[in-house]
Each structure stands twice: as C-alpha cells, then as structure tokens.
Amino acid sequence: MDGRDLVRSVKSVGSMQGLRTVRSAWLRVRADARALPARGPERARVPGNLVGAEPGPGGGVVRFARSELRVRVGAGGAVFLGWDGAEPSPSYALPEDAPDADPRAVLEPDKDGGWQVVSERLTVVVSRLGAVELRTPGGVVLRRQLPPRWWEPVAGGPGRWVQRSEVPADARFFGPGGRAAGPRLGNGVYALWNSGPGGRPGPGDDGRYLTMPVQMVVSDAGTHLMFHDNSWAGRVELREGTEGAGSGHDRPGSSELRVEGGPLRCWVVVGTPARVLQGWSALTGAPAVPPSWALGPQHARRGPGSEREAWQVAAGDRDRGLPLSAPEGFGGDQREADDVGGLATARAGYDELLRLRPGERPFLVSRSGWAGTQRYGGIGSGDVAAGWPGLRASLALVLGLGLCGVPYAGPDVGGSDGSPSPELYLRWFQLGAYLPLFRTGAAIAAGRREPWEFGAQVLDGAREVLVERERLRPYWVTLAHLARLSGAPYVRPLWWSAPGDRALRECEDAFLLGDALLVAPVLEPGVGERPVRLPPGRWYDTVSGAVYEGPGQVVVEAPLSRVPVLARAGSVIPVRGADGGLELEVWAPVEGTGGGGSVVRDGGDGWAPTVVERYTTRLVGGRVVVERDGGEGLVDCPVRVRGI
C-alpha cells in the first residue's frame, strides 16, 4: 500500500465502513513499515558531466551523463526543479495540476558553459556538473544547490538521496512546519517525520506533529521559500553562516536535506515575505477561512467527559461575564505515507463537513498535516509542556506554521499537562488571546483550565483580555479573509515588512498581528516591564497612549493585568463599537506619511463573496482625514481617532 491508496481510503471516512477502512489502512502501513527489508549493498551516483539541453515550456531539460534536471517557471512565478525525470504533478501538496508554464522563460546557454533560465523574479543557473544557483534579477545569489547524490540499492528499489545547499552568510532559516524551537531555526538537525515528540515539546525539543520540507530563508539579498515536494521520511541539517570580521572571509550558511526515497523535486518562490507567501498560497491552495465563531475564544477538554460537563463549563464562563464561542470535546510504504496521513484525514473531514452542511464554512482543526493542510483547516499545537518554556514554544509553533502557509493555528492555553501557576496561566491566556486559534483546555488528567480556577486576579485579567479579543473580532474576520486572498498569516514576525533589518530577524519574543498591531507577550516570570524591538515607524501603546519611534528598542510597561500591544501610526482597525456594530479605530498618522487599512465585513459563516474595503489616512493641518478607496471617500460607519 502506498500513500495514494491511503488518501483514497481516508476520503471515504464519512461512513462507518470508511472509518473501519481507515483503521485497517493504518494497520497495514504500520505492518509494512515493520516488514521493510534491509537496504543491502548500495551504489552511489552523481549527475556527472553536462551533455546537452532541450528547451521546453517555461524552461527545459538539462542533461548530464547519469541524470537530467527539468527547470520550469510557472505562470505565477514559482520555479520547479526536478531531477531524474521528476515532474511537478501529481503532488500531495498541490490542490490541482501544476501551474501552467510561463512562456516568457526560456532555456539559454550560460557564459560559463552551463545553461540558465531567466524569469521575471529569478534566474536559475545550472553548472556543467549539476550545481544550481538561484539568483536575483540583479545577479545576487540567493541559494546555491550543490550537485545531488543518490544511493541506490544494487538489488533495486527506492533510492535515497542528499541535497546540499549554501545560502548567504547573513541568512536565517524559518520553518519547516510547526517547531517548538523557533520560529528561526538555528544550527541543528530537524526530522521530517510526523511522529510526535515522545513527550511535551519545549524550545529544546523537535516537536513533530506537523512537519513540512519547507524553508523560508531571509537575507539581505532577498527572501525565498524552498519546498522539497517529497513526503518520504527525511531530515534536514541547518547551519547558519558567519560573516568575516575585517579582512576575513564569509562562511555561508548551509542546508543538507536527506530523504529515504521518492523524487528529488522542489519548488522555489522569491520576493518580499508577503509576495513569497502569496506565491506559496497560489501554488498549494488558499487557506480555509474558519467560520466567524471560530475566531472567538474556545474551550476543549480531552479525555472522558460528558455533555453535561461541557455545558457546565460554558455556564461558568457566562456567569462570570467571560465570552465563549464554542465548548469541544474529544471523544504504501509507511516512509512515504506517514507524513501525508494528517493531510488526507483533514481533506476527508473537510469534504464530509461540506457535504453535511453545504451552506456553512467547515471548521476543522488537526494537530498533524503536511504541505497543503491550510486548504482544509487549522492546526492545534498538540501537547505542549505546562511551563514557561512551553509558553515560549507556543508562540514559536504558531509563527513557524504561518511562515509555512498555515495561518490559523494556536496552542492549548496553560499547556497540556501539569499544573501551571496562576501567573503562568494568565500570561499564557494573554498570549493565546492574540493568536488565531484561541483555545483553553487540557487533558482531563492535567486538571482544570478554566480562568476562575486560578483566583480573582487571574479571572479579572482573563476577562479584560477576552473583552479586547471580542472588541477586535472584526479585525480577526478581516485577517482571516485576507489570509485566503493573499496567503499572509494573521501572526507575522517583526521583520515581515522590513526583512533587511537584521535586528528584527533575530527577534523571537514579539510579533505583528496583521499590519496594524505589535504584540509583546510576557514569556518569563516576575516581569513588570519588557524591552521591545520596533520596526520602522511610529507606534502607540494602545492602553497608555505612549508614543515610540522605530526602528530601535524601547522598554514598555507589562503589568500582570495586561499584555503590551502597540498600534502602528496611520493604521485603520475594524472593531466592535459599544453598540456591537462596526467601528473604525484610526491611529493618527505621521505628518507627510499617511497610512491605511483594509476591512472585510462579517458575512456570517456561509460563502458570501468577499468584499475588501480599503481605507487611507492622512494628517492635514493637525486633523486626521479618513477616506475609503473607490467609494468616493464615503465612510459609512463611526470613526474613532486615537493618538492625536
């Protein structure tokens, strides 16, 4: 049984027979894995010398003595590289066939005796021995892939391979999938195998509920995303480079990917971070928009429980004035199929929910998946240790998933085991309130996770941040629809709009919520204030009104009662007004720079067309002017100006 048989089996999950089929399929693939034969003698192979080339749509094929490389530029700008006859399709990650070829991209001789394909955003240069350089239109090298190497069983069967790459010395790696150690991945070996961490992941663990062979690489030269489209078991070893001091030489960063079988093929997308994820979304499918209620607070209890207990929890929230959107209970060759099992299950669940309620957007959250999972739903971080390291890991997991194209994600507030202190629980609650999937709960054995179980101070703090989450519900709705349209995650690293700022690339303890807000959660005990690294521009403390100028580092107040949140000058944020209707919260722009924002009105949980309203702001004679693009300047809802 291979991975495609597994997908076909899981697609029938809507019936009891389908569930039995799925269980049987998993038992068979696990048995296959145990019965895998030893590899035996192997022989190594490299591409060899270049012997010719054949132009084709969007590029062509470069032939070597013992292999060949297909280069194809897609109509949307994504570039495909496939060795040994590998084609773009079929692929688990792609929702349909691969994008059409870009007819403007042609294969032509390179001045050094190799071949090159020049496209609008990327030049691919293939050397005489099979090295591949990815260059900007200006000729700057973003990545250099050394000639690959294969090990093939003498007796036949799938061969394993290794692909080594070099990146600029200042480059930083982000991805692949959800990692507790991140979102920036330092020196280390990261498994590509959905197996669970064998414990509760913290920053030092390699949590593997969801892995993707995806790297986003950010350097001064530019940003690119590399996706090795192969679901077989593997691992990637990353090494950050170092820049030479004085007259010393730079040492480039490196990536070494080893995979146990399957095709050696990859996709590359380049541009700004926003353009990269837009291209990735176009390639692998737009993220699903969760129903509006799923953007509010949720509570889940895993393990044996009853419907009565769920309603008791909901009543407890209501009686204490805590908003709550939903209480939930939980009642081939394995080396190829394991990683895509979660993806196939998500697809099956999505299709069945859509069949049962075709008028509503499905709500589906999993802890496992693969590239393309965003098409069907979101990701819960799974088991996270109930300690301060687990709190930090929660943020890393969500940021890393967003940079791999999965924007709707979040942890279980308070962790999945143990007994968090009141301070830890409240800080976790405050972080969760600014993450897309905001869910409290834990396994029954781990004890209670309701806010009132931790004392009056925690209850008051939880109520305050819950009220703010609900006030920002129109902003969350807007971010959800913009994620589908553009691929941009709700939660973004601080370097999102300024990837050339090296100090921002190193910052891992704060994040942007959309373009308008900067959230600086407290991730350590006993903190009353904390430093914050600011992107360029003016920023306002949303509570105190204090004004800060970026780029640079400032110190902000962070009492236990709240999480520091800063608003970008000039931004327009849709919020709920006092009467429950839509209101625009506008933060005063800087003279001469202006600003703006987008609004998508809540059309309910169905499939109404998405209409994006865009607003601009400017400061004229000390007065803030707000106008709607394309609407003759008409603003048909209340506007509240802050920061003036």
Side-chain angles (χ1 to χ4, degrees), residues 1 6 9 17-31:
M1 178 177 184
L6 178 64
S9 298
Q17 179 60 39
L19 292 173
R20 288 191 288 269
T21 302
V22 171
R23 182 175 183 275
S24 177
W26 276 113
L27 291 176
R28 285 200 301 275
V29 295
R30 289 182 176 178

Side-chain angles (χ1 to χ4, degrees), residues 98-125:
D100 294 335
D102 185 347
R104 299 171 297 175
V106 296
L107 182 66
E108 60 188 26
D110 177 50
K111 62 182 179 180
D112 294 326
W115 291 81
Q116 67 177 12
V117 176
V118 180
S119 67
E120 180 183 4
R121 302 175 188 170
L122 187 68
T123 297
V124 181
V125 180

